[in-house]
Amino acid sequence: MKTIKVSVVTPDGPVYESDVEMVSTKAQSGELGILPGHIPMVAPLAIGVVRLKKNGKEQDLVAVSGGFLEVRPEQVTILAQAAEKAEDIDVERATRAKERAEQRLRESHQENIDFKRAELALQRAINRLTVTGRQ
Ligand code: ATP
């Protein structure tokens, strides 16, 4: 089986690196699947899950909070604002973040709360919980 090298990098350093059979991500324009030999491209990413296929199965999941995907002939690079492998996600923290964001969204019509900001925080929290299988 042909493979392609994938790196997920954040401002804090590399988060994930492996040779995989397929990379599935959520670009801002929709779901994107990258196989070895994909044409070079750059795409902005949404808050979403990066799914990495190895040995015929989806083996690894990484939560990504937006950024960019760059595809080159031998390499996929994901430059993310924040990214966590499933095993590095603190479920309690994500649950607290989700509750906080939901509370802010409930209050946003009465107080001067930034609705978009709370909505993005909620998406990040739900995404993290999805990756750990808690959502
Ligand atoms: P919180 O309100 O809990 O900080 P957040 O969505 O605002 O959540 P970010 O700004 O996206 O957090 O991330 C800040 C840093 O904390 C990043 O390095 C990110 O990887 C890490 N991080 C955020 N939430 C979690 C979590 N639940 N488990 C592990 N790392 C996390």
Side-chain angles (χ1 to χ4, degrees), residues 51-72:
R51 298 168 195 277
L52 293 315
K53 190 169 160 190
K54 293 200 239 179
N55 303 319
K57 287 197 294 186
E58 259 181 18
Q59 294 281 1
D60 300 324
L61 298 182
V62 180
V64 167
S65 301
F68 286 91
L69 168 84
E70 184 197 30
V71 183
R72 286 184 280 138

Side-chain angles (χ1 to χ4, degrees), residues 25-135:
T25 63
K26 195 173 171 199
Q28 284 182 11
S29 55
E31 292 292 331
L32 206 61
I34 311 288
L35 294 165
H38 193 286
I39 50 158
M41 67 175 284
V42 173
L45 294 178
I47 295 168
V49 183
V50 179
R51 298 168 195 277
L52 293 315
K53 190 169 160 190
K54 293 200 239 179
N55 303 319
K57 287 197 294 186
E58 259 181 18
Q59 294 281 1
D60 300 324
L61 298 182
V62 180
V64 167
S65 301
F68 286 91
L69 168 84
E70 184 197 30
V71 183
R72 286 184 280 138
E74 312 277 316
Q75 164 102 44
V76 175
T77 307
I78 291 170
L79 296 168
Q81 267 116 43
E84 304 90 32
K85 288 186 283 189
E87 61 266 32
D88 295 333
I89 291 175
D90 178 338
V91 173
E92 298 239 314
R93 177 174 167 180
T95 303
R96 284 197 304 274
K98 178 171 177 273
E99 287 167 0
R100 217 164 40 238
E102 284 169 341
Q103 182 64 29
R104 285 183 181 140
L105 288 172
R106 275 196 294 274
E107 290 166 354
S108 63
H109 58 285
Q110 359 173 322
E111 288 172 37
N112 190 18
I113 287 174
D114 187 338
F115 187 84
K116 190 70 200 165
R117 188 172 158 191
E119 210 171 49
L120 290 172
L122 179 60
Q123 279 182 29
R124 290 195 300 275
I126 290 175
N127 191 43
R128 289 176 175 126
L129 293 171
T130 300
V131 162
T132 60
R134 310 294 177 108
Q135 179 74 30

